[in-house]
Amino acid sequence: EMKHMIPSAFQATRLMFKDKIILALSMVPVAIGVGLYIGMGSWFYSSILGWGDTWIKGHVSESWGVVVYYLLFSILTVLLFFIVNWTFVLIVSILASPFNDAISHRVEKILGGETPESLGGTFKRILANAIFSFINQIKKVAFIVVLASLGLLLSLFPVLAPISMIITAVLLSIEFMDYSWSRHDIPFSACKTDVKNHLIEYILTGGGFATLIAIPVVNLFVLPYGVIYYTTLWTNNKKDLIGYSK
């Protein structure tokens, strides 16, 4: 059943830009992540290029020194790009976990016709749930890395590549959906039932988000939007979720 898949996208988009607190919470982890990587990048360049410059002056002639230096700079730039591309989403998802939990909670309140918490109440919730959110997200990231590695191995074989893509899509959907599951203490059996009942929906939406996350800069905004979207989708689908009694 996929009747809520597209309507939820329009609802999520309206919520993200209509509710100022949701928009603000979405940008905080992004800002933290950008600052972290700018700092790491500056240290990376200054340390490695400083060492490289000293080595070049001691081992390479002056005429070739400039060429070798810029070659090293180019290699470092490409290497840093791949490091950031592979780790940024995981690091930011951990940093953002308390904020994402608050976003998910606020979205569900609004969709349920309830009055959402004030900004002060929202930050109290973030602080109260921060440790649990961090630990839970680290567990999810570790689990996802293991299964994503399995998917990567499968992708080496052309015949199995579609299975790898499906695993990646479903994993991403589960990561976003887990904020709602965890908040309501949904049992594991009910989570499995939810995935089974909406498998095609999760494959399609997860595949779409996986594609967007692979795009630098765009992925900064995809992460919070994914939380909003899947909370909206889950709220619309929750009448079908076994074990949900509200």
Side-chain angles (χ1 to χ4, degrees):
E1 187 178 355
M2 297 184 290
K3 62 182 179 181
H4 299 303
M5 187 174 71
I6 295 176
S8 293
F10 290 107
Q11 282 181 282
T13 303
R14 285 196 300 269
L15 276 173
M16 185 171 189
F17 292 103
K18 184 178 180 180
D19 190 281
K20 294 180 180 179
I21 292 181
I22 288 178
L23 186 60
L25 291 174
S26 300
M27 295 301 104
V28 170
V30 171
I32 294 173
V34 170
L36 177 66
Y37 272 85
I38 288 176
M40 288 177 60
S42 299
W43 173 83
F44 187 76
Y45 272 111
S46 61
S47 298
I48 303 299
L49 286 179
W51 171 84
D53 186 48
T54 301
W55 185 89
I56 290 169
K57 288 178 179 178
H59 296 80
V60 182
S61 65
E62 186 175 349
S63 58
W64 282 98
V66 175
V67 175
V68 175
Y69 180 85
Y70 281 105
L71 180 62
L72 176 64
F73 179 84
S74 300
I75 293 173
L76 287 178
T77 300
V78 173
L79 180 62
L80 190 62
F81 172 81
F82 281 105
I83 290 174
V84 171
N85 197 44
W86 276 91
T87 64
F88 186 86
V89 171
L90 294 179
I91 295 297
V92 172
S93 68
I94 293 173
L95 293 173
S97 54
F99 298 93
N100 288 343
D101 177 65
I103 289 171
S104 181
H105 179 263
R106 189 174 182 84
V107 167
E108 189 176 346
K109 284 275 189 182
I110 294 172
L111 292 176
E114 301 177 48
T115 302
E117 298 168 330
S118 64
L119 183 60
T122 298
F123 274 100
K124 284 181 181 178
R125 178 181 179 82
I126 291 172
L127 292 174
N129 296 331
I131 295 177
F132 171 78
S133 297
F134 280 133
I135 293 174
N136 192 48
Q137 186 64 23
I138 289 171
K139 288 179 180 178
K140 283 195 294 182
V141 166
F143 178 68
I144 286 170
V145 167
V146 171
L147 290 184
S149 299
L150 174 62
L152 182 62
L153 289 175
L154 292 176
S155 68
L156 298 176
F157 304 92
V159 177
L160 300 177
I163 298 177
S164 172
M165 295 172 63
I166 290 173
I167 290 175
T168 300
V170 174
L171 279 176
L172 191 58
S173 293
I174 289 174
E175 178 172 0
F176 285 127
M177 192 67 73
D178 187 60
Y179 288 102
S180 296
W181 290 345
S182 297
R183 190 171 57 258
H184 288 281
D185 294 322
I186 302 299
F188 182 66
S189 59
C191 293
K192 288 195 300 183
T193 300
D194 182 46
V195 173
K196 180 181 177 181
N197 290 343
H198 302 98
L199 183 60
I200 302 301
E201 194 172 45
Y202 291 168
I203 290 174
L204 293 175
T205 57
F209 275 98
T211 301
L212 293 173
I213 284 176
I215 305 173
V217 181
V218 172
N219 56 19
L220 297 178
F221 305 96
V222 170
L223 289 176
Y225 179 74
V227 176
I228 299 169
Y229 173 75
Y230 279 95
T231 302
T232 303
L233 183 63
W234 185 78
T235 302
N236 291 333
N237 287 335
K238 67 184 177 183
K239 61 181 179 294
D240 302 320
L241 183 62
I242 297 175
Y244 185 79
S245 58
K246 294 185 179 182

